[in-house]
Amino acid sequence: MKFGTKVIHAGIEPDPSTGAIMTPIYQTSTYVQAAPGDHKGYEYARTQNPTRTVLEKNLAALENGIDAICFASGLAAMDSVLKLLNPGDEVIATDDLYGGSYRIMTKVFGKYGIKFQFAGISDVSVMDALITPNTKMIWVETPTNPMLNIIDIEAVCDHVKGKGILVCVDNTFASPYLQNPLDLGADIVVHSATKYLGGHSDVIHGVVVTKNAEIAAQIRFLQNAVGAVPGPQDCFLILRGIKTLHIRVERACQNAEKIALFLQSHSKVSKVYYPGFSSHPGHEVAKKQMKMFGGMVSFDLVANNEESARKVLSGTHYFSLAESLGGVESLIGHPASMTHGSIPKEERLKVGLTDSLIRLSVGIEDVDDLIQDLEQALALV
Ligand SMILES: *Cc1c(COP(=O)(O)O)cnc(C)c1O
């Protein structure tokens, strides 16, 4: 089944009891048993819910995994993956991470004796130098947030093959339409489904997908034991969002490319971070592992200060100033004070995340209007 058919059909059947073409929202906490232990596969809704089951089958198909396990948020999904580790284990992670990911690693799991190292692993020799016998996981985000660096997933997986190290890819920025890490050798994929999968900025949701039966069983155990499950209405919204994933992402990518070109030629813009440019250091890898170059664009201003950035951030009309990404509407953000506020300034500056850096999540509006909007906002600087 091709991707555009999977989003609509994979794992989705008309409701067996009524024929309803749309998956019903099973708003129930428990299920009646005919006799003790005699049930239809559903006992209690923390453990199983039919709306969630359909979504999990669909998501497993989109990432070419054997199982997908849904959570109440992307960070809840990540929490369960990190709980596969034991005290004393070490994790090597991309140094330009989603702020919440950095926070859960350092402030939550750091307390339980798990050691995290953050490095620019787009150069695999940098990663190699950090591997010790205690290294148990490589955590990859690509494209990275907000600098849009590209990590070669296949190269990372090849380097750690046979060493007992799991490779986990946070695929939120690419979405399964653009990139499928399990096909490139990764063991685990995590998504904040809040972003492109949901796509309409109306739900918080997360998922873990794997092609390894043992990992799937462990994550399912954690899903039930810890209990950070999504409600059925949220699962329905993600299922609904996914039906247009390929069309939305394709348009966002087309718009992002035009916007990146516009920004690059603008006199008030000093630098544009966009993997679609042939001058981008990760361009060749992006071409190899992604279908298109994504809907995210970051840029810095010639006037290298926060005050100027603030003028642009408050000056747009179609780009709304908000955290998050991946919705149909365009967003503009200030990573230094918003998504990456929890990362120390010295750490931020090391990767180029300055006080004047602006991040765009390009939506699917008419691109001419979006460019005009940025044009008038940049004129305020
Ligand atoms: C938003 C985001 C998360 C966290 O997901 P939530 O659904 O907000 O919990 C994790 N990783 C990336 C790359 C994100 O953008």
Side-chain angles (χ1 to χ4, degrees):
M1 208 188 289
K2 297 246 167 70
F3 195 89
T5 310
K6 277 187 192 174
V7 291
I8 291 159
H9 293 290
I12 302 169
E13 300 287 344
D15 180 50
S17 57
T18 61
I21 192 164
M22 285 302 129
T23 308
I25 300 168
Y26 283 93
Q27 192 76 51
T28 188
S29 64
T30 192
Y31 309 87
V32 177
Q33 309 192 4
D38 178 4
H39 54 74
K40 300 180 165 69
Y42 293 92
E43 295 149 277
Y44 184 64
R46 177 170 15 79
T47 322
Q48 317 102 340
N49 177 283
T51 315
R52 194 169 92 210
T53 303
V54 171
L55 174 59
E56 289 178 337
K57 287 189 174 148
N58 183 254
L59 284 164
L62 297 190
E63 282 290 11
N64 301 325
I66 59 160
D67 202 3
I69 303 100
C70 288
F71 290 88
S73 70
L75 282 176
M78 188 171 170
D79 172 79
S80 76
V81 172
L82 294 174
K83 283 181 176 142
L84 297 174
L85 301 166
N86 293 306
D89 288 352
E90 297 179 10
V91 179
I92 301 168
T94 340
D95 65 356
D96 173 29
L97 275 188
Y98 173 68
S101 304
Y102 181 82
R103 182 175 56 208
I104 194 175
M105 287 175 172
T106 55
K107 300 257 171 74
V108 180
F109 284 90
K111 236 174 40 180
Y112 297 105
I114 296 167
K115 188 175 158 198
F116 296 91
Q117 285 175 298
F118 302 93
I121 64 174
S122 47
D123 174 357
V124 282
S125 67
V126 170
M127 176 184 80
D128 270 347
L130 295 174
I131 293 178
T132 76
N134 295 328
T135 305
K136 292 288 148 56
M137 187 179 283
I138 310 290
W139 190 277
V140 177
E141 244 186 61
T142 180
T144 66
N145 177 13
M147 304 313 298
L148 302 170
N149 293 315
I150 301 292
I151 315 289
D152 188 333
I153 298 170
E154 199 167 21
V156 168
C157 295
D158 284 351
H159 266 251
V160 301
K161 204 175 251 165
K163 292 189 180 148
I165 299 174
L166 295 175
V167 177
C168 181
V169 179
D170 181 337
N171 205 24
T172 303
F173 263 45
S175 91
Y177 176 61
L178 297 181
Q179 175 173 287
N180 297 118
L182 299 181
D183 292 348
L184 302 169
D187 302 286
I188 301 170
V189 168
V190 167
H191 280 280
S192 168
T194 311
K195 317 294 168 54
Y196 286 105
L197 287 166
H200 295 74
S201 309
D202 51 9
V203 59
I204 299 285
H205 193 104
V207 63
V208 178
V209 192
T210 180
K211 58 179 183 196
N212 176 315
E214 202 181 314
I215 294 171
Q218 285 175 304
I219 300 283
R220 253 193 205 287
F221 168 81
L222 286 163
Q223 182 196 43
N224 183 52
V226 179
V229 295
Q233 168 108 19
D234 289 356
C235 293
F236 175 88
L237 287 171
I238 301 294
L239 268 170
R240 179 181 170 132
I242 286 173
K243 292 178 201 298
T244 53
L245 176 68
H246 53 316
I247 295 176
R248 286 186 286 104
V249 174
E250 190 163 64
R251 176 60 64 86
C253 290
Q254 289 163 351
N255 283 355
E257 182 173 348
K258 290 186 184 143
I259 286 170
L261 286 168
F262 159 76
L263 289 170
Q264 196 185 34
S265 66
H266 200 284
S267 62
K268 289 180 180 165
V269 173
S270 62
K271 188 147 175 47
V272 181
Y273 299 91
Y274 174 66
F277 287 151
S278 58
S279 58
H280 185 287
H283 180 68
E284 288 307 316
V285 176
K287 239 166 54 180
K288 184 181 73 166
Q289 70 187 17
M290 298 173 76
K291 191 174 281 152
M292 296 171 81
F293 298 106
M296 303 298 294
V297 180
S298 295
F299 64 100
D300 215 331
L301 300 174
V302 173
N304 188 10
N305 58 65
E306 179 164 347
E307 194 197 321
S308 303
R310 282 181 177 276
K311 287 186 184 146
V312 179
L313 291 156
S314 318
T316 52
H317 303 301
Y318 298 128
F319 282 88
S320 302
L321 177 61
E323 294 201 5
S324 202
L325 61 114
V328 290
E329 60 286 304
S330 294
L331 299 182
I332 189 165
H334 185 234
S337 67
M338 297 166 74
T339 47
H340 292 64
S342 55
I343 298 187
K345 184 160 179 170
E346 319 79 75
E347 292 291 319
R348 279 203 277 116
L349 292 179
K350 265 192 238 167
V351 299
L353 205 168
T354 64
D355 289 340
S356 49
L357 187 82
I358 294 171
R359 189 191 82 176
L360 304 177
S361 168
V362 178
I364 65 172
E365 301 95 332
D366 190 293
V367 72
D368 294 340
D369 286 332
L370 295 179
I371 288 175
Q372 194 186 38
D373 193 27
L374 290 169
E375 175 100 73
Q376 62 81 30
L378 282 163
L380 303 171
V381 176

